[in-house]
Each structure stands twice: as C-alpha cells, then as structure tokens.
C-alpha cells in the first residue's frame, strides 16, 4: 500500500472525532497493511519554523516529551532581563525567543510554564497557557510573572517556558449557534466550587 501521510493524518483526526461516523476500527482496517515502523517519519506532522535567535533550534528532548523548550533571545552580549519580586510593580516581563512558526489550521502552539521554574523560583507564564494561533506569523514572546519574593534574572539562552502543540476545533470546523435556552443538566449553573472538595 502506498502511504500518503497527509491522508493518514486526515483520517486519524476523523477517527478520533466523536461526532464522525468514521471510527478507529475503520482507520485500523483501512491502514492495517501500512508498515508503521518503516514509515513513522512520514507520518509525523511538519511544523515549519524560523529561528532568528542566537540559540539552538527547539527540539523534543525525548520521544515522550509533550513539549519543547523556549529559550530567551537577548541580542546584546551580556544583556539580561530582571523581573522584580511580587508586589514590586515590575514583576512582569515579555521575553523574546527569536522563533517564528507556521502552524497548520487545526493546530495551536501553547506556551506553558516550566515546572522547575514554577516550583523553585515562583516564575510562571502570566497568560498560561499562551496561545499562538495558526494564522500568526510574528515572533513568539513569552509573558513571565514573578510570584516570588526575590528578583529573577534571565540571561540569553535560558530556558523560560515550553511549547506544546495541540489540536483545536476552530472556525474551520465549528459553528457557534445562538439560541434562547440551553438543555438542562443535573449540575445546571453550579459554578466554582459547586461540587465541593471531597
């Protein structure tokens, strides 16, 4: 069977869509004869990017890694960005990465905090997760906030956040329908904390 990675990707998205009649069983039947090991590189989705930074290209560090690291791109030798402690009035900074992406229409790039920075330094992504839309072609910049009691200094090349690619149901696939009322559920309008802690 000749493999067509675009067709396989399209069929796979159809198979995992609960609103589609095409199922995972249908997918397995249709592509059962494909040698998945031999063609695994052909099945990978291509995400194009430009690296205008002076840092190494982003990459997944392991096969199981959900995301890749964003590094700070500070153009001047010895330049740093200092984020003040919480309550100082200067505890937020927008950090450039020098990275530009071209994403498929069905994919978003989420900018998420790095767990080590959050746990050890109280540094996180302010608009977590930040979203890079598929039609955005500008530089990815990371908005960091310092919730800690000490200032935090960022140098060129520091790993400041991580990028996670995620499928989205956007205007290409979803229609928003305005109605006068919604179907009732047992929970109803119960909001924050309505289900309790235990």
């Amino acid at each position: 069977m000749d493999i067509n990675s675009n067709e396989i990707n399209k069929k796979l998205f159809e198979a995992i869509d609960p609103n589609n009649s095409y199922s995972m069983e249908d997918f397995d039947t249709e592509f059962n004869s494909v040698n998945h090991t031999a063609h695994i590189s052909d099945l990978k989705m291509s995400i194009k990017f430009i690296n205008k930074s002076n840092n190494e290209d982003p990459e997944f560090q392991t096969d199981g890694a959900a995301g890749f690291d964003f590094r700070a791109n500070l153009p001047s030798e010895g330049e740093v960005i200092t984020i003040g402690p919480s309550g100082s009035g200067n505890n937020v900074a927008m950090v450039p990465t020098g990275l530009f992406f071209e994403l498929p229409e069905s994919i978003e790039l989420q900018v998420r905090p790095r767990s080590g920075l959050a746990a050890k330094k109280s540094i996180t992504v302010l608009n977590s997760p930040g979203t890079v839309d598929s039609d955005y072609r500008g530089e990815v910049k990371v908005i960091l906030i310092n919730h800690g009691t000490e200032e935090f200094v960022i140098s060129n090349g520091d790993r400041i956040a991580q990028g996670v690619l995620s499928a989205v149901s956007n205007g290409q696939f979803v229609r928003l329908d305005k109605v006068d009322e919604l179907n009732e559920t047992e929970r109803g309008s119960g909001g924050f904390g309505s289900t309790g802690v235990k």
Side-chain angles (χ1 to χ4, degrees), residues 8-28 45 106-107 166-169:
I8 291 178
N9 282 330
K10 178 182 174 189
K11 289 288 191 174
L12 181 58
F13 275 109
E14 288 180 15
I16 61 177
D17 181 356
N19 299 317
N20 199 306
S21 60
Y22 186 82
S23 68
M24 282 303 296
E25 285 184 4
D26 296 328
F27 179 84
D28 287 339
M45 180 180 295
S106 60
I107 298 294
S166 181
V168 293
S169 297

Side-chain angles (χ1 to χ4, degrees), residues 161-177:
Q162 60 180 323
V164 175
L165 296 159
S166 181
V168 293
S169 297
N170 56 21
Q172 298 287 324
F173 308 101
V174 176
R175 180 183 69 243
L176 298 176
D177 290 330

Side-chain angles (χ1 to χ4, degrees), residues 53-55 70-74 81 95-98 154-160:
S53 78
N54 45 20
N55 298 313
F70 284 114
R71 294 178 181 270
N73 180 48
L74 309 179
I81 293 177
V95 184
T97 66
I154 300 169
S155 300
N156 185 64
D158 285 353
R159 295 183 293 168
I160 55 169

Side-chain angles (χ1 to χ4, degrees), residues 95-114:
V95 184
T97 66
L99 297 175
F100 303 73
F101 290 85
E102 181 179 322
L103 303 170
E105 289 181 344
S106 60
I107 298 294
E108 67 164 328
L109 173 55
Q110 297 180 356
V111 181
R112 298 186 185 183
R114 296 192 71 235

Side-chain angles (χ1 to χ4, degrees), residues 43-110:
L43 292 173
K44 289 185 177 181
M45 180 180 295
S46 173
I47 303 294
K48 298 175 183 176
F49 70 92
I50 296 173
N51 186 355
K52 293 185 179 180
S53 78
N54 45 20
N55 298 313
E56 60 198 65
D57 290 341
E59 62 180 356
F60 295 95
Q61 294 299 312
T62 66
D63 288 341
F68 56 85
D69 289 325
F70 284 114
R71 294 178 181 270
N73 180 48
L74 309 179
S76 300
E77 181 87 21
E79 181 180 351
V80 298
I81 293 177
T82 301
I83 308 178
S86 179
S88 65
N90 64 340
N91 64 323
V92 175
M94 186 175 298
V95 184
T97 66
L99 297 175
F100 303 73
F101 290 85
E102 181 179 322
L103 303 170
E105 289 181 344
S106 60
I107 298 294
E108 67 164 328
L109 173 55
Q110 297 180 356

